[in-house]
Amino acid sequence: MKEYLKSDSEQIDHILNIIKQQGTEYLSALAERPTSVNNDLISEQMNLPESGIGTESALKIFNERFEPIMVGSSGPRYLGFVTGGTTPASIAGDWLATVYDQNTQSVKGQGDISAGIEIETIKMLLNLLGLPENFLGGFVTGATMSNFTGLAVARQWIGKELGKDFAKDGISGTVKVLTATPHSSSIKSLSLLGMGSGNIVRIKTAGDNREAICLKDLEDQILQLNGEPFILISSGGTVNTVDFDDFSEIRKLKEKYKFWWHIDAAFGGFAACSDTHKHLVEGWEEADSITVDCHKWLNVPYESAVFFVKEKYRILQVETFQNSNAPYLGDPLDDFGYLNFLPENSRRLKALPAWFSMMAYGRNGYQAIVENNIKLSEQFGQLIERSDAFKLLAPVRLNTACFTLKDDTKQDQVNSFLEALNETGKVFMTPTFYNNHTGIRAAFVNWQTQEKDIELIFDVMNKIAATMG
């Protein structure tokens, strides 16, 4: 082991050049990379070697066993799970984040300066999204942990409104959470936070073929609470149809009633980058907390998301996340450390890929990415609308098309159609169920996707549909 470690250290330039070459070849051929594979192709698991084999030998085995079946999930025709790609600049930033391997914690400490990079990156994101700087933000692994962070501070706020300290003493009683169409990650967060995934008060949606919240029913439910504080989870783009709650109207309700307003805008928040669609997030700056996922439409590598919590709640945030041995003296912003403001103690410099990508391409670059994806999703929707084989289940509101087979008597064939489509390796989409239909979801968030990809995808879809009885 010692010999291999010493040898690898001495040959690190050679090793990184090999990886660089392999990575370059992969990225150059990404558009042709299969979007799905047969997992049965993975060979029998290997045992841990006693003395090690060195990096080059390990790479050789990886290339024999795993590399050929790595899917092109960051490529232009991977339309499943709202999965973004990785811009060249974000890859550079991610590689350097690994090389420098910083412990992102204190701003004023002597250990490192990486928290300063994170704070600067957060300000860039706020600017990109048109949000004011009175939000305090940080990087976490994904939308689940971002929702968890915002809702954790909301939980502490509820407790204080009731004269309790939930973070210290635990939850007592039931916390009312109102929502219409929450993402599963929000429901999971409620479970993890002890508020209970089954304690949600479901609000009606705004009407037929809508997932947005019905404002009248929302206010009716609020009145039934008789002034009891509650949490509202609203949607900045639902996962099936990218429907948005009316933030401007919710802002008016917030002036009348006492509640914590959390917005899950994991990918829909990037509508703020588009001149034609930024009206969808009008009013969201009045929310108490917001979730935004960076490894979706920002096109940076997994794992990357940010939370935004209003800075005025910093005391509640520290009460929620303060490290057990951290001194709590005065204003926590005077000696700011991320250790006391978010769930994880150990974090890599997740901000660096985002910093690189926003610096490299700027506001105009991201506007172009977002608007291109919107245009492509609309074109794809138009192809479906004109098709004899498929139909939309909802309007294309932003960047996602939710559709199914046109013939309702073939509902039992939708999943087999999707399986056959994904098996081609030309495109990958995900199944869903919407408006009493088994459906398919295609999400456009990759910076590389072009019109030719839409044409190829639709051609493959029609060929498969033609083979179905």
Side-chain angles (χ1 to χ4, degrees):
M1 184 279 293
K2 291 181 179 178
E3 291 76 13
Y4 284 126
L5 193 56
K6 183 175 184 295
S7 175
D8 283 353
S9 179
E10 292 172 348
Q11 298 184 67
I12 189 64
D13 181 65
H14 171 66
I15 290 170
L16 291 181
N17 277 328
I18 294 174
I19 299 299
K20 170 192 166 186
Q21 181 63 34
Q22 181 165 323
T24 301
E25 291 173 358
Y26 169 81
L27 292 171
S28 298
L30 185 54
E32 306 309 318
R33 191 83 174 189
T35 52
S36 62
V37 296
N38 183 351
N39 286 331
D40 293 338
L41 296 175
I42 297 177
S43 58
E44 188 175 340
Q45 290 187 356
M46 297 179 66
N47 295 320
L48 174 70
E50 288 297 324
S51 300
I53 59 176
T55 301
E56 283 200 68
S57 295
L59 178 63
K60 181 180 179 182
I61 292 175
F62 169 84
N63 286 338
E64 290 172 351
R65 300 182 66 227
F66 302 127
E67 203 285 333
I69 52 176
M70 286 287 180
V71 301
S73 57
S74 57
R77 295 190 301 278
Y78 195 93
L79 309 181
F81 306 109
V82 199
T83 303
T86 48
T87 65
S90 73
I91 293 172
D94 199 59
W95 194 340
L96 288 177
T98 298
V99 169
Y100 288 112
D101 198 22
Q102 301 291 284
N103 179 19
T104 309
Q105 298 296 358
S106 175
V107 174
K108 297 181 179 179
Q110 294 179 307
D112 68 69
I113 54 88
S114 57
I117 297 173
E118 183 162 351
I119 289 172
E120 181 172 298
T121 308
I122 289 294
K123 287 186 177 180
M124 286 186 187
L125 268 169
L126 289 171
N127 188 265
L128 178 68
L129 298 172
L131 288 168
E133 290 190 7
N134 61 357
F135 282 98
L136 192 155
F139 277 78
V140 288
T141 55
T144 300
M145 287 311 298
S146 179
N147 281 323
F148 177 92
T149 303
L151 292 172
V153 186
R155 181 188 67 176
Q156 188 69 354
W157 176 83
I158 287 276
K160 289 301 177 77
E161 290 294 315
L162 300 174
K164 302 174 182 180
D165 187 338
F166 286 164
K168 183 177 181 181
D169 301 323
I171 290 183
S172 55
T174 300
V175 175
K176 295 293 194 305
V177 180
L178 278 58
T179 188
T181 316
H183 188 263
S184 59
S185 61
S186 290
I187 298 173
K188 179 187 286 189
S189 296
L190 295 175
S191 175
L192 292 170
L193 289 164
M195 290 188 279
S197 59
N199 287 329
I200 289 174
V201 178
R202 291 280 183 171
I203 309 301
K204 295 176 182 177
T205 56
D208 293 338
N209 214 359
R210 293 295 305 276
E211 292 184 297
I213 204 162
C214 172
L215 292 162
K216 182 182 183 304
D217 189 49
L218 173 59
E219 188 160 18
D220 288 345
Q221 294 290 342
I222 291 173
L223 290 171
Q224 290 183 32
L225 294 177
N226 295 316
E228 181 182 348
F230 65 94
I231 298 170
L232 173 67
I233 300 177
S234 66
S235 296
T238 57
V239 72
N240 271 332
T241 69
V242 202
D243 210 352
F244 283 73
D245 292 337
D246 190 332
F247 299 152
S248 294
E249 292 300 315
I250 292 174
R251 176 175 57 187
K252 295 176 184 177
L253 291 176
K254 196 160 171 45
E255 295 172 357
K256 296 169 59 177
Y257 306 104
K258 184 178 290 187
F259 61 92
W260 182 282
W261 182 15
H262 176 74
I263 297 177
D264 183 348
F267 64 95
F270 286 96
C273 298
S274 167
D275 287 340
T276 57
H277 286 73
K278 61 185 177 183
H279 65 277
L280 293 170
V281 293
E282 184 178 344
W284 72 328
E285 67 277 1
E286 297 302 322
D288 297 300
S289 57
I290 300 175
T291 284
V292 174
D293 212 338
C294 298
H295 57 232
K296 289 185 170 67
W297 225 341
L298 197 67
N299 279 246
V300 302
Y302 278 103
E303 309 146 332
S304 183
V306 293
F307 64 83
F308 297 127
V309 176
K310 280 286 173 61
E311 191 177 282
K312 66 182 180 180
Y313 298 117
R314 58 187 180 272
I315 300 297
L316 298 180
Q317 198 166 346
V318 170
E319 288 175 354
T320 303
F321 295 115
Q322 182 183 14
N323 212 37
S324 60
N325 62 353
Y328 181 25
L329 300 172
D331 189 337
L333 293 184
D334 288 341
D335 188 21
F336 179 82
Y338 272 113
L339 188 72
N340 300 317
F341 281 86
L342 44 69
E344 302 120 324
N345 282 11
S346 303
R347 297 184 309 138
R348 72 196 298 264
L349 184 49
K350 299 179 188 296
L352 198 56
W355 184 92
F356 262 85
S357 203
M358 285 189 289
M359 285 294 290
Y361 311 118
R363 185 189 312 280
N364 291 340
Y366 275 100
Q367 179 180 353
I369 291 171
V370 168
E371 291 187 341
N372 179 60
N373 286 149
I374 292 171
K375 180 189 72 173
L376 293 174
S377 65
E378 290 173 345
Q379 290 177 350
F380 185 68
Q382 290 164 8
L383 289 172
I384 290 174
E385 283 188 313
R386 295 194 295 263
S387 169
D388 294 328
F390 311 101
K391 66 178 179 181
L392 288 174
L393 289 173
V396 176
R397 297 188 173 101
L398 189 66
N399 67 321
T400 297
C402 185
F403 66 99
T404 190
L405 296 178
K406 194 163 193 173
D407 187 347
D408 281 346
T409 65
K410 295 183 177 180
Q411 274 287 288
D412 60 344
Q413 298 183 48
V414 175
N415 286 333
S416 58
F417 166 81
L418 178 58
E419 184 176 346
L421 180 66
N422 287 342
E423 277 183 355
T424 66
K426 299 293 185 182
V427 62
F428 187 87
M429 300 182 191
T430 42
T432 191
F433 188 81
Y434 177 74
N435 206 11
N436 297 315
H437 282 75
T438 301
I440 298 168
R441 196 177 71 240
F444 296 82
V445 285
N446 192 290
W447 68 275
Q448 298 180 82
T449 310
Q450 302 174 43
E451 286 189 30
K452 65 179 183 180
D453 295 303
I454 306 301
E455 295 166 2
L456 186 154
I457 290 166
F458 200 65
D459 182 58
V460 173
M461 287 169 56
N462 281 315
K463 286 178 179 176
I464 295 172
T467 67
M468 303 182 70

